[in-house]
Amino acid sequence: QVQLVESGGGLVQAGGSLRLSCVGSGRTFNALGWFRQAPGKEREFVAAISWQGSTDYADSVKDRSTISRDNAKNTVYLQMNALKPEDTAVYYCASCLFATMTRSLSSYLYWGQGTQVTVSS
C-alpha cells in the first residue's frame, strides 16, 4: 500500500512560485497526479505524469507549471510559476491505479492529505 505526503504549500503573492513535493512510502510503477480543491468547488485535475515520464496538464496551468518525478526517491513534484489568486486551493497528490496517466479522479487509489496553497492578490 502506498502512502503519500505533500509539502511545499504556503502563502505566496500573485506572480510568485511554489514547488510542491509529494513523497511516497514505497516505489511505484503507477502514474502520479496532482489535484486541487478550492472552497465551494469540486476537486479538479491539475497535472499527471506516467511512470515513463509523459505529462499532462490542465489548460489552466499548462503554460506555467511543470510536473516531474524521481522514481528512485518515490517523489513527485509540481513546480508552479506565475501564481494567480484563482490557484488558491488545497493541493493533493495521488497515485493512479495504472501506469498510464489519466485525469479521472476515480482512477487514483491512494491520496495524500493535501497541502494548502494561498495566493494573495
Side-chain angles (χ1 to χ4, degrees):
Q1 183 174 344
V2 176
Q3 288 187 318
L4 303 168
V5 180
E6 303 96 336
S7 63
L11 176 62
V12 184
Q13 292 186 2
S17 299
L18 283 175
R19 190 193 193 198
L20 307 182
S21 299
C22 176
V23 180
S25 62
R27 288 180 171 82
T28 179
F29 297 105
N30 301 62
L32 299 169
W34 285 96
F35 296 79
R36 67 187 182 186
Q37 187 166 21
K41 298 183 67 177
E42 298 291 320
R43 190 169 300 185
E44 65 177 359
F45 170 80
V46 177
I49 184 168
S50 72
W51 175 62
Q52 299 91 339
S54 298
T55 59
D56 184 32
Y57 300 91
D59 290 341
S60 59
V61 304
K62 184 175 182 178
D63 295 331
R64 54 196 180 90
S65 300
T66 302
I67 186 172
S68 60
R69 66 189 292 170
D70 186 336
N71 292 335
K73 296 181 178 180
N74 296 327
T75 303
V76 60
Y77 306 94
L78 181 66
Q79 175 71 40
M80 299 191 70
N81 304 315
L83 286 163
K84 306 173 182 178
E86 51 263 44
D87 293 320
T88 296
V90 177
Y91 284 70
Y92 301 89
C93 68
S95 178
C96 188
L97 292 168
F98 318 109
T100 302
M101 59 189 177
T102 176
R103 297 186 176 191
S104 176
L105 272 69
S106 63
S107 296
Y108 290 83
L109 180 61
Y110 302 107
W111 294 80
Q113 293 297 309
T115 184
Q116 177 71 48
V117 172
T118 303
V119 184
S120 62
S121 60

